[in-house]
Amino acid sequence: MSFYQIWIRSFADGNGDGIGDLYGVYDRLDYIKSLGVDAIWFSPVYPSPNADYGYDISDYRNIHPDYGTLDQFRKVLDRAHELGLIVLMDLVINHTSDEHPWFKESCKGKDNPYSDYYIWRDPRFKGEQMLPPNNWYSQFEGLAWEYCETRGQYYLHVFAKKQPDLNMDNPKVREEVKGIMRFWLDMGVDGFREDVITYISKNPALPDGNPLLPMINGLPHYKDGPRLMEYLQEFREVAREYNAIQIGEAPFTPVKTAATYISGPDRVLDMMIQFDHMTADCIMTEYVWHRFMLTKLKKAFTKWQNAMNGRAWNCLYLENHDHPRVISRYGSEKFWRESGTCLAASYIFQQGCPFIYQGQEIGMTNIRLRSIDQYNDVSTINAYHTFRRHRSPESRMRWIHVSSRDSARTPVQWTDGKYAGFSTAKPWFRVNPNYKRINAAAQEKDPDSILNFYRRCLALRKETETLIWGSYKEYYPRSRKHYVYERSYLGDRYLIVCSFAAKETKERLPADWAKAEKDLVIGNYPFSTSDILHPYETRVYHMR
Ligand code: GLC
Ligand code: CA
């Protein structure tokens, strides 16, 4: 099964106001179907003040007026179902918006029905000086605590100030979550992608974190917390009633822990979005960037493939709305088509479910805006300011160019026409100036395009049991140029060869493959059969 992710604001504008919406999605459902995917995951489409573009929700049971109405959503859902596509919503329940009515009430005092919906604590005092309850930093801006005058207490926000964390230890909050799940499942939605779900149970003592670490010093006290399993089991019961899919986002969760959530008949989640392979050019987060290292990527791939083999199902992905474009990171803009197709083959044929993020299938690349004021994303802006003491503005901008989430949030490039065919009006965010060269319409016509390569890969995967069920084996893990892996099932064997070198290299094949009669079933260079691999060449062999 494979998924297509929509980050709606930049997907397609259907009503001509410059903002992507459900009308635009409706019109593109056939396109999505044509890719060969089975499911759509919608990043949040709910009302939100957009402090974190939808991940700060102010009403869980409605659609943001920018994107349409509940009726329009039902139309999209029904049409998707007619096309055989299932639909997942984003369930963001670690936090709400500070403009959610629950939070507005909660702020008012300690004795109303919503008082305990959030994580409130008294200040600490050092002499006269008022300090937050502990030393945690927020992952997005400043300290993790914000003082509320009316209530005389601090509230916790692991992300932006406008994203107060819910108090999941309060049974009423968990009932609210179940109600929200039911609301969408009753409408016919097929499941959820669950945002930072492994953060929802905090160590109630809220102890200080390591003072030397920035941004994530509280992590050990709110990730994979003491009551997480219990809460996930509760939510699982609701999902079970509807046979709904649950995919949990789990930043920094080690592979062993992940397996405890997603394996076995009593699993509490079906799959997990992990981050290991997204740090092949950085340390923990893209904002601490280093040169891309293929061996690091391969190690992460193989670690998860081996750990989940026979136990659980991996989420296979290289892009989403939280990461810059992968060609610009792990591939090469110079060898744009070649590296875009090679990257596709490097992950789609692994064991698990491939995810494709809007625009990835046409090889969209990073945008490079001149000044920080042109960026929208709260974490980008925060990173820019956090490193002000260490680096010059120019060097920080270079960093933003390689690391910003906004690179994944530029309007999808549909045509080479005005505003890249995304809208008839000026889009809400800048279109990448390379849309004349990189756009879906041009690639529809070209059989060798990245778009058609994705289609070929997904089709092959779908019709090939070995590529679905087969075991995984990696060759030459220390090679800094090639990623070579095999899938095999009941004696049937496929070998996927990916060159990450920007020059010609000699192909190296395992001995039995070198000798065997084999067919080249997919490749990204025409008539390529010699033992020389071109830059970013990929070949998928099937043993006869
Ligand atoms: C997840 C989302 C990300 C969001 C964060 C806070 O990581 O994918 O976009 O900013 O959670 O909700
Ligand atoms: Ca619109």
Side-chain angles (χ1 to χ4, degrees):
M1 175 164 205
S2 48
F3 292 75
Y4 189 78
Q5 184 194 348
I6 294 182
W7 196 82
I8 194 166
R9 204 170 182 79
S10 288
F11 182 66
D13 176 19
N15 66 354
D17 64 355
I19 300 174
D21 52 42
L22 289 167
Y23 312 101
V25 171
Y26 189 88
D27 293 341
R28 307 276 175 184
L29 285 172
D30 290 309
Y31 168 82
I32 295 171
K33 177 71 186 173
S34 82
L35 300 174
V37 297
D38 310 285
I40 295 174
W41 147 30
F42 277 104
S43 274
V45 291
Y46 320 101
S48 158
N50 283 337
D52 187 21
Y53 286 98
Y55 285 91
D56 48 321
I57 298 172
S58 53
D59 180 357
Y60 284 95
R61 297 164 194 242
N62 214 333
I63 297 294
H64 195 303
D66 282 350
Y67 307 143
T69 59
L70 273 174
D71 271 344
Q72 183 59 23
F73 179 77
R74 285 193 197 95
K75 271 175 102 176
V76 168
L77 183 63
D78 291 347
R79 179 71 188 135
H81 284 164
E82 272 168 35
L83 291 169
L85 296 167
I86 66 164
V87 173
L88 305 197
M89 295 299 265
D90 218 306
L91 187 69
V92 187
I93 49 153
N94 177 67
H95 44 265
T96 68
S97 162
D98 66 341
E99 295 180 34
H100 193 290
W102 300 339
F103 188 75
K104 289 189 189 159
E105 285 303 307
S106 202
C107 268
K108 286 183 186 158
K110 296 176 189 161
D111 50 9
N112 70 58
Y114 299 96
S115 297
D116 295 329
Y117 268 45
Y118 296 85
I119 301 175
W120 293 99
R121 290 291 187 279
D122 291 331
R124 285 193 292 188
F125 283 94
K126 197 170 159 193
E128 292 287 276
Q129 197 194 355
M130 191 173 80
L131 295 172
N134 70 22
N135 71 353
W136 296 359
Y137 287 102
S138 136
Q139 289 194 20
F140 280 0
E141 38 176 4
L143 295 174
W145 298 92
E146 208 53 30
Y147 188 66
C148 168
E149 292 283 345
T150 34
R151 179 154 168 159
Q153 284 188 308
Y154 281 92
Y155 68 84
L156 176 71
H157 63 91
V158 166
F159 294 96
K161 283 181 200 155
K162 284 180 71 64
Q163 292 173 297
D165 282 56
L166 281 164
N167 174 18
M168 209 52 74
D169 296 336
N170 179 351
K172 282 200 279 183
V173 172
R174 302 201 298 279
E175 286 313 309
E176 298 276 11
V177 171
K178 294 178 213 169
I180 295 163
M181 291 173 75
R182 287 209 161 84
F183 176 83
W184 294 101
L185 294 170
D186 283 335
M187 196 184 297
V189 156
D190 304 280
F192 300 100
R193 176 269 188 187
E194 305 185 356
D195 189 62
V196 286
I197 197 69
T198 45
Y199 288 10
I200 61 174
S201 160
K202 275 84 179 168
N203 175 344
L206 304 176
D208 274 339
N210 181 342
L212 300 176
L213 279 178
M215 266 122 99
I216 49 156
N217 67 339
L219 195 70
H221 309 297
Y222 58 73
K223 180 179 74 71
D224 302 309
R227 298 180 65 188
L228 177 60
M229 260 307 186
E230 184 191 324
Y231 300 160
L232 290 178
Q233 268 153 8
E234 277 188 36
F235 303 151
R236 187 70 172 170
E237 278 167 31
V238 178
R240 275 230 181 86
E241 287 171 33
Y242 296 81
N243 215 353
I245 298 182
Q246 292 174 291
I247 302 175
E249 187 203 24
F252 310 112
T253 291
V255 69
K256 274 217 181 90
T257 318
T260 62
Y261 301 118
I262 60 174
S263 54
D266 295 328
R267 63 182 179 272
V268 289
L269 294 166
D270 296 297
M271 289 192 289
M272 201 146 239
I273 301 176
Q274 55 88 13
F275 284 57
D276 270 354
H277 65 290
M278 297 315 284
T279 55
D281 63 356
C282 60
I283 296 162
M284 298 195 76
T285 134
E286 278 95 348
Y287 297 111
V288 187
W289 180 84
H290 64 63
R291 184 178 49 81
F292 168 65
M293 290 160 72
L294 178 61
T295 45
K296 215 175 158 191
L297 178 67
K298 299 196 297 181
K299 206 169 155 196
F301 276 161
T302 298
K303 178 163 91 182
W304 284 79
Q305 287 291 299
N306 289 342
M308 297 305 162
N309 184 29
R311 299 177 71 188
W313 221 230
N314 271 297
C315 279
L316 309 172
Y317 77 95
L318 290 177
E319 282 191 11
N320 62 39
H321 65 294
D322 288 332
H323 304 282
R325 295 291 184 177
V326 74
I327 292 181
S328 307
R329 301 180 66 174
Y330 296 176
S332 153
E333 290 184 13
K334 182 165 166 228
F335 294 102
W336 165 74
R337 193 194 64 83
E338 294 76 9
S339 68
T341 45
C342 176
L343 282 160
S346 77
Y347 86 105
I348 287 183
F349 298 118
Q350 290 182 29
Q351 194 183 72
C353 292
F355 284 64
I356 293 154
Y357 175 66
Q358 65 186 40
Q360 178 188 343
E361 77 280 16
I362 55 167
M364 284 176 62
T365 61
N366 284 356
I367 194 162
R368 298 182 180 89
L369 299 172
R370 239 173 305 121
S371 104
I372 191 67
D373 315 327
Q374 297 170 315
Y375 285 83
N376 293 312
D377 167 40
V378 56
S379 75
T380 302
I381 295 163
N382 184 53
Y384 180 84
H385 295 298
T386 304
F387 297 106
R388 70 180 168 277
R389 275 192 226 99
H390 312 290
R391 288 178 170 259
S392 68
E394 297 72 37
S395 110
R396 278 180 284 149
M397 278 321 290
R398 276 198 301 278
W399 244 357
I400 297 305
H401 292 163
V402 295
S403 62
S404 173
R405 304 196 293 184
D406 273 341
S407 273
R409 300 176 177 190
T410 62
V412 170
Q413 295 159 210
W414 295 104
T415 69
D416 65 0
K418 198 164 185 205
Y419 306 131
F422 164 77
S423 173
T424 49
K426 186 168 186 246
W428 75 281
F429 189 34
R430 274 159 216 264
V431 175
N432 193 312
N434 64 19
Y435 71 94
K436 294 248 181 234
R437 188 167 53 88
I438 301 178
N439 64 72
Q443 294 186 37
E444 284 288 357
K445 287 182 254 159
D446 172 6
D448 297 323
S449 64
I450 298 181
L451 175 60
N452 282 317
F453 190 86
Y454 268 90
R455 288 185 172 130
R456 284 216 296 283
C457 291
L458 289 170
L460 178 67
R461 195 194 147 94
K462 205 185 206 82
E463 70 201 19
T464 312
E465 290 208 343
T466 303
L467 295 174
I468 299 169
W469 304 109
S471 60
Y472 167 97
K473 179 174 178 184
E474 188 195 353
Y475 294 95
Y476 319 121
R478 285 203 301 273
S479 165
R480 283 184 285 185
K481 297 190 185 97
H482 299 162
Y483 173 43
V484 181
Y485 65 102
E486 175 174 325
R487 302 290 309 282
S488 62
Y489 184 61
L490 307 173
D492 187 43
R493 298 170 70 183
Y494 282 81
L495 189 76
I496 297 94
V497 176
C498 303
S499 170
F500 281 74
K503 54 175 198 228
E504 291 189 346
T505 50
K506 191 157 175 348
E507 184 181 49
R508 214 167 131 202
L509 294 179
D512 51 347
W513 276 95
K515 278 188 271 150
E517 296 265 10
K518 53 190 176 298
D519 297 309
L520 179 63
V521 285
I522 284 189
N524 61 351
Y525 280 85
F527 314 112
S528 206
T529 46
S530 78
D531 63 352
I532 299 297
L533 293 173
H534 297 97
Y536 294 96
E537 180 159 1
T538 187
R539 297 176 181 179
V540 179
Y541 292 116
H542 181 224
M543 204 182 273
R544 267 192 221 151

